[in-house]
Amino acid sequence: MSKGVLVDITKCIGCKACQVACKQWNDLPAKIPDFEDGLTGPPDMDGDTYTVVKFKVLEKDGDYKIRSAKRQCMHCEHPACVSACFAKALERDPRTGAVIYHPHLCVGCRYCMLACPFDIPKYQWDQTFPLVTKCQFCFDPEGKYDRLGHNLKPACVNACVTGALTFGERDGLLKEAWNRINSDSKYIKKVLGEKEVGGTAWLYISDVPFENFGFKPNMVTRPLPEYTHDFLKWTPMIAVGWGALLTAMYLYTKRREQVAEEENKDVPM
């Protein structure tokens, strides 16, 4: 059974301890903060920032409230980035559910960036030898910086002091999410990540629309690699058909040349 994290936006206070913990664990450099809605923080994920806390100031009936939510790789159950990577630099670990990146296999095509429905993988544009980067779910198949493989919470979850992040088995987290939703009317009747693009390891519940934090509305529930398969399954037949067509055209052209040569021989000089 794959692991997951339940993000309860109603419990997040925007302290950004998760963001700092991610930087520390992955030995990532700090960034000069930007201001948005009077609040400070990295504007978005980039080659040196695997997670950001998004803030939103909301107004309803003259009252203002601040909501914040952590964003990072969603670690899809059926990752489109893995399907798009012909170099096999991305793979999903079946035991933990982590979608991990192997930099030594990456050719820098950036197809994963185009394929991701959550706009997660980032490119190190300012590096001499750039790589694609993203959250690894604190999982390292080589074991050097591995937390998930040793049954430890991801660094971001371990740093959360309010209970906004809960780590566990994905199935159990889904049950917990719906228990909270059904027992408290403030929650929107939806678990983001339960079905979107086939399901994700990171699940979100909230009392405000998820679109406030950059999530796309009305995402498809069908795994995105299945759409790719619908086209790629015709590739062998297209290849055979195209080869047959080219062969027929070659034979036809060659036959016309032979006929033309014979006609030229019959013409008296």
Side-chain angles (χ1 to χ4, degrees):
M1 295 175 65
S2 61
K3 304 294 184 179
V5 176
L6 173 60
V7 182
D8 190 335
I9 291 176
T10 68
K11 295 186 177 184
C12 181
I13 60 174
C15 68
K16 294 180 284 188
C18 56
Q19 195 170 286
V20 174
C22 179
K23 288 276 190 180
Q24 291 177 333
W25 182 257
N26 293 289
D27 195 22
L28 299 171
K31 292 287 185 178
I32 297 175
D34 287 351
F35 285 88
E36 180 181 356
D37 289 333
L39 302 167
T40 183
D44 205 349
M45 286 170 276
D46 57 32
D48 295 319
T49 305
Y50 297 171
T51 184
V52 293
V53 177
K54 293 283 188 178
F55 292 91
K56 195 69 177 180
V57 178
L58 303 170
E59 179 185 5
K60 184 177 180 181
D61 300 328
D63 292 329
Y64 292 88
K65 59 183 177 182
I66 298 175
R67 286 291 181 270
S68 52
K70 180 183 182 299
R71 291 294 310 272
Q72 73 296 304
C73 175
M74 299 290 284
H75 295 278
C76 300
E77 298 279 282
H78 307 276
C81 60
V82 173
S83 177
C85 183
F86 63 87
K88 306 301 181 183
L90 287 157
E91 69 168 335
R92 181 179 182 273
D93 180 69
R95 182 171 62 91
T96 62
V99 178
I100 54 178
Y101 171 69
H102 301 289
H104 65 285
L105 296 176
C106 182
V107 299
C109 67
R110 303 190 292 279
Y111 287 168
C112 57
M113 297 171 63
L114 297 173
C116 178
F118 298 101
D119 191 29
I120 295 299
K122 303 300 178 185
Y123 199 59
Q124 295 177 322
W125 296 101
D126 57 344
Q127 299 294 322
T128 304
F129 300 102
L131 298 171
V132 173
T133 65
K134 71 173 199 68
C135 162
Q136 298 278 75
F137 213 168
C138 285
F139 178 71
D140 179 8
E142 297 181 359
K144 187 176 181 181
Y145 300 106
D146 188 17
R147 296 181 64 91
L148 209 61
H150 290 87
N151 295 318
L152 297 174
K153 298 177 182 178
C156 58
V157 178
N158 194 57
C160 182
V161 297
T162 65
L165 304 177
T166 304
F167 174 72
E169 299 289 345
R170 184 178 185 273
D171 290 347
L173 293 175
L174 267 176
K175 293 179 181 178
E176 172 62 22
W178 280 111
N179 284 338
R180 295 187 193 182
I181 290 172
N182 293 328
S183 62
D184 194 331
S185 61
K186 70 181 179 184
Y187 288 103
I188 294 173
K189 301 296 183 182
K190 178 182 178 66
V191 179
L192 180 72
E194 179 180 14
K195 298 179 180 179
E196 281 74 12
V197 295
T200 63
W202 282 71
L203 307 166
Y204 287 74
I205 56 177
S206 176
D207 62 339
V208 297
F210 298 104
E211 291 79 7
N212 287 307
F213 308 102
F215 290 106
K216 299 174 184 177
N218 304 318
M219 297 188 71
V220 298
T221 58
R222 185 183 179 189
L224 295 185
E226 291 186 5
Y227 291 95
T228 306
H229 176 71
D230 285 346
F231 291 97
L232 293 182
K233 68 181 180 181
W234 299 104
T235 300
M237 286 179 281
I238 292 173
V240 172
W242 183 246
L245 177 61
L246 292 177
T247 301
M249 292 176 64
Y250 168 76
L251 295 175
Y252 173 73
T253 303
K254 186 176 181 180
R255 177 57 183 162
R256 289 196 62 178
E257 291 176 352
Q258 291 175 346
V259 171
E261 289 178 359
E262 292 174 358
E263 290 178 348
N264 290 334
K265 289 179 181 179
D266 295 336
V267 176
M269 302 297 293

